[in-house]
Amino acid sequence: QIKVTAKVFDTEAGDYDYVQVMELNDDAIGAPISGTFTASQLPIVLGTSTGSSGIKVRFFSDFSVERRGFQIEFEELAVVSPTPAPVITTNCTGNLIQFDLNSGEYPEELSWELRLEDSVASIYEFSPGNLAISGQRFTYTACLVDGNYEVVMKDTYGDGWNSGSLAILDFATKVTIGFGRLPAGSLRVMKFTLPATAIPTCASGDTVAMATLLSSDWAEEISWTVQLGNGAMVAEQPATYLFEDRGTFVFRICLPTGTYTLGCLDTFKDGWHGGNLTLLDETGNVLVTCAPLDGANNGEEFLSFVTPFDPSNLAAAAPTAAAPTTVPDAPTCANYTVLDAATFGSISDGSSSTENYRSDVSCGFLIQHVDDTPIELTIRRLRLEQGFDSLNVFDGPDTSSDLLATFTGILEEIENPIVLSSGGKMFVEFSSDSSDLLA
């Protein structure tokens, strides 16, 4: 089989300029794979039938309109069928784990393997093969002993999994142990530990709540807590667990009879962008649901609820006057701000995604690590007047240090939104003029 990929395709429409991609069978010209292509009609990917000996590409143009033309890449594929996925559901004395793979687009490019941490020997390897279709789901279950594991996610083309994802679940409860995508590149390692801390054993009389979180964009900013009315922590997102965009995550929480507060938190204070978290009891009753919005309560929600479920107490699931614990706002634009960098933090000009920033501003943030550890800065939101308002990042304590990067315009046009300092100090300067203020 041969895969043909159109990287550029732009010709004059109609019978004037066009491309034919044709199959060769026994060195004879066969019929076109998918007809004749003109304008911008050529699909991103074409594939020949099994047993084809080659392809022939024919390009025709007349003497009139000139366009960008075309660029087509091709590669030979070995015919690979999906690896059989064994299912083990009985006689498991260890941890029965389920792996769900959504193949995304170009499933023939991706594969994954399971191994013990820091081991080179694979416990299991899987590839959908080039007979799989886009978005196909593959399920594999394994009986695994306690220990630390790695899932190695691979892509032969080097452009990530193209919307593909891998979820790791406890087979019995469907609690999420891990979830990952390969957003770019050819390799990613995702780690998990067994037994999973997200699967507690509940005491008799407890309400067993299943918390289902649906993430949207900027999922790494969000987290959740469940606290008693006196502020005592009952459950929270595991410290080592990071959510990923557009995923489904399930947790199991043991709740004795009482009144609780669900905290849905966001480090950037701009809401969950359409994401939500719902707690259900074992019979499917909704205990509480949160969906933080930008511009309301600093992009976070704190909702009270009771256990066991009682329909008469549904009114209790309303925003509380104040959170049981306070989370500091992201530092905003003042003349000069010094921040001691912890493991994570954020800074802002003070506006939300729907408000304009102030005019004629010049302010700076000194971010510093006491142990001189390098600092990584990631731009999460940027919408500045192009060329006039800017964000400058310096490799040191002030503007006399080496300039690492200058950002202006909008985030979508930035080639690399991540900046890394050489040492434990980074200075960030924001400036705006008097015109064309954006959000």
Side-chain angles (χ1 to χ4, degrees):
Q1 277 190 305
I2 299 173
K3 183 173 77 171
V4 182
T5 305
K7 296 298 184 181
V8 177
F9 195 87
D10 181 23
T11 70
E12 183 184 5
D15 296 330
Y16 304 105
D17 301 344
Y18 59 91
V19 170
Q20 284 183 330
V21 182
M22 312 180 76
E23 232 178 290
L24 297 179
N25 297 295
D26 298 324
D27 297 325
I29 297 179
I33 294 172
S34 296
T36 298
F37 304 99
T38 184
S40 57
Q41 294 176 350
L42 184 62
I44 298 299
V45 176
L46 296 172
T48 66
S49 59
T50 303
S52 294
S53 59
I55 60 171
K56 183 172 183 177
V57 179
R58 305 177 69 188
F59 174 55
F60 303 86
S61 67
D62 66 4
F63 58 87
S64 58
V65 177
E66 295 182 358
R67 304 296 290 268
R68 295 174 61 203
F70 69 93
Q71 178 184 345
I72 296 174
E73 296 181 355
F74 59 89
E75 61 178 309
E76 183 176 2
L77 301 175
V79 179
V80 181
S81 300
T83 308
V87 176
I88 305 168
T89 58
T90 59
N91 302 322
C92 177
T93 58
N95 303 278
L96 189 55
I97 305 301
Q98 177 176 325
F99 298 85
D100 282 350
L101 173 69
N102 180 336
S103 65
E105 299 179 42
Y106 313 118
E108 70 277 6
E109 298 174 3
L110 65 87
S111 63
W112 65 272
E113 67 175 272
L114 172 67
R115 66 192 185 194
L116 285 168
E117 187 176 25
D118 300 324
S119 172
V120 295
S122 296
I123 298 172
Y124 179 69
E125 297 184 33
F126 178 82
S127 173
N130 54 17
L131 298 182
I133 61 175
S134 296
Q136 190 169 351
R137 179 181 172 183
F138 300 89
T139 297
Y140 163 67
T141 57
C143 185
L144 303 176
V145 300
D146 293 352
N148 299 319
Y149 291 86
E150 295 178 338
V151 171
V152 184
M153 308 163 74
K154 304 176 183 178
D155 185 84
T156 58
Y157 197 75
D159 61 348
W161 275 16
N162 299 292
S163 76
S165 63
L166 180 67
I168 308 170
L169 313 174
D170 175 68
F171 181 83
T173 65
K174 304 308 179 191
V175 166
T176 306
I177 298 172
F179 179 90
R181 302 180 187 275
L182 181 58
S186 58
L187 185 71
R188 178 192 174 185
V189 177
M190 180 171 60
K191 300 186 179 185
F192 66 96
T193 299
L194 297 176
T197 57
I199 314 174
T201 301
C202 298
S204 176
D206 284 358
T207 294
V208 181
M210 302 303 291
T212 301
L213 187 147
L214 304 178
S215 68
S216 182
D217 297 328
W218 310 117
E220 68 274 15
E221 299 174 359
I222 68 177
S223 60
W224 58 269
T225 61
V226 175
Q227 295 176 265
L228 282 167
N230 62 8
M233 188 71 68
V234 177
E236 61 183 323
Q237 173 187 333
T240 58
Y241 199 104
L242 292 178
F243 294 120
E244 300 203 20
D245 292 351
R246 295 173 296 283
T248 300
F249 308 86
V250 179
F251 301 90
R252 177 184 171 104
I253 307 173
C254 303
L255 298 173
T257 299
T259 300
Y260 297 89
T261 297
L262 171 66
C264 296
L265 314 175
D266 186 275
T267 58
F268 200 76
K269 312 296 185 183
D270 62 349
W272 282 20
H273 309 287
N276 63 79
L277 173 63
T278 300
L279 270 61
L280 303 175
D281 68 12
E282 289 180 290
T283 58
N285 295 310
V286 177
L287 299 173
V288 64
T289 297
C290 74
L293 302 175
D294 188 12
N297 301 315
N298 289 321
E300 300 181 328
E301 276 191 315
F302 298 90
L303 305 172
S304 64
F305 67 100
V306 298
T307 60
F309 173 78
D310 184 345
S312 66
N313 289 321
L314 287 177
T320 59
T325 57
T326 59
V327 180
D329 290 339
T332 57
C333 216
N335 289 335
Y336 185 80
T337 304
V338 179
L339 303 172
D340 291 324
T343 56
F344 188 88
S346 62
I347 58 177
S348 166
D349 64 81
S351 68
S352 73
S353 61
T354 58
E355 298 173 330
N356 290 344
Y357 53 83
R358 301 195 311 273
S359 62
D360 293 317
V361 168
S362 179
C363 62
F365 303 88
L366 172 58
I367 307 170
Q368 56 188 7
H369 261 306
V370 294
D371 58 359
D372 207 37
T373 302
I375 298 165
E376 182 180 277
L377 178 74
T378 302
I379 307 298
R380 296 297 188 195
R381 177 164 58 90
L382 187 80
R383 193 163 181 261
L384 306 178
E385 183 187 5
Q386 180 72 41
F388 297 95
D389 302 342
S390 63
L391 193 69
N392 298 312
V393 184
F394 297 89
D395 191 19
D398 51 42
T399 57
S400 66
S401 307
D402 291 339
L403 180 65
L404 292 173
T406 295
F407 300 102
T408 187
I410 60 176
L411 179 63
E412 291 76 12
E413 295 179 353
I414 295 176
E415 185 172 332
N416 182 12
I418 300 175
V419 184
L420 183 67
S421 69
S422 61
K425 287 183 172 59
M426 175 185 285
F427 189 76
V428 181
E429 177 191 48
F430 171 61
S431 61
S432 67
D433 65 6
S434 58
S435 64
D436 292 336
L437 302 181
L438 302 175

